Amino acid sequence: MAKRPEWLNLAQVITTLGVRGELKVRPETDDPLRLRDLQEVSALLATGARETLGIERVTLRKDGVVIAKFRGHDAPETAARLRQAWLQVPYAEAKRVPGQVLYADVLGMAVVDAATGDQLGEVSDVLRAGQDLLQVTRPDGAEVLVPWVDAFVAAVDREANQVRVHVLEGLLD
């Protein structure tokens, strides 16, 4: 069974900006200002070390760039050590919008035929491409990709731990 992650990525630090220790970050969520809801965030540094960062300020520029400022990082030299860091929250504390699921929520879910209820496999990964794809591992070990669009995915039921799919001809070949 695919394992849900311990941590969820909210953003990745791209580079320093200016002389006050501000950083350009690339959001990994639908809400570019998600970091603004937090007092602190866990940073997985490029070195593999983890540290807690106090959030001082998060802003969205008119050009869509997100800028973050963390306590204690008041100069480009101190902020530079955060380049390429992943800004994360524990999976258990992830913010969810009612009616929506996180990619990590579907990992390990049973994939069932929406029409018959037959179990087809298990979600082993979510691949982010031009179109998000569910990687489904079949009982025989074969892997198939299911586009995460309404034409194929009928419903995601967190309570039943299932992804119900419309099985169109050729989908599972």
Side-chain angles (χ1 to χ4, degrees), residues 117-130:
D118 293 341
Q119 185 159 344
L120 306 171
E122 169 183 295
V123 177
S124 52
D125 203 356
V126 177
L127 307 176
R128 295 176 63 190

Side-chain angles (χ1 to χ4, degrees), residues 101 106 109-114 120 123 126 131-136 145-157 162-168 171:
V101 295
V106 300
M109 282 189 175
V111 178
V112 299
D113 185 321
L120 306 171
V123 177
V126 177
Q131 173 59 57
D132 295 336
L133 300 166
L134 299 177
Q135 181 176 304
V136 178
L145 299 176
V146 177
W148 195 341
V149 294
D150 293 343
F152 294 99
V153 177
V156 176
D157 186 340
Q162 290 182 342
V163 176
R164 291 189 287 278
V165 298
H166 300 292
V167 180
L168 304 178
L171 177 67

Side-chain angles (χ1 to χ4, degrees), residues 45-171:
L45 304 178
T47 63
R50 182 174 294 282
E51 85 177 57
T52 301
L53 301 173
I55 297 174
E56 191 172 305
R57 174 176 70 254
V58 178
T59 58
L60 180 63
R61 292 191 329 199
K62 289 180 183 178
D63 62 1
V65 173
V66 177
I67 307 300
K69 171 75 174 72
F70 300 103
R71 283 190 289 282
H73 297 277
D74 299 322
E77 297 77 18
T78 58
R81 62 186 285 284
L82 300 176
R83 277 193 201 120
Q84 301 306 307
W86 285 101
L87 306 177
Q88 303 176 320
V89 293
Y91 172 76
E93 296 174 19
K95 177 181 172 183
R96 289 179 174 77
V97 175
Q100 294 184 357
V101 295
L102 303 173
Y103 291 139
D105 289 337
V106 300
L107 295 176
M109 282 189 175
V111 178
V112 299
D113 185 321
T116 66
D118 293 341
Q119 185 159 344
L120 306 171
E122 169 183 295
V123 177
S124 52
D125 203 356
V126 177
L127 307 176
R128 295 176 63 190
Q131 173 59 57
D132 295 336
L133 300 166
L134 299 177
Q135 181 176 304
V136 178
T137 301
R138 308 262 300 147
D140 64 2
E143 292 181 343
V144 295
L145 299 176
V146 177
W148 195 341
V149 294
D150 293 343
F152 294 99
V153 177
V156 176
D157 186 340
R158 288 184 62 212
E159 289 182 22
N161 201 39
Q162 290 182 342
V163 176
R164 291 189 287 278
V165 298
H166 300 292
V167 180
L168 304 178
E169 188 175 334
L171 177 67

Side-chain angles (χ1 to χ4, degrees), residues 12-43:
Q12 185 176 29
V13 175
I14 303 303
T15 191
T16 58
L17 187 71
V19 296
R20 295 187 179 114
E22 294 177 315
L23 295 156
K24 182 192 283 191
V25 300
R26 183 185 69 237
E28 291 287 320
T29 70
D30 291 340
D31 179 2
L33 294 175
R34 171 69 174 98
L35 289 171
R36 199 161 48 181
D37 297 341
L38 304 172
Q39 298 295 313
E40 59 185 27
V41 67
S42 182

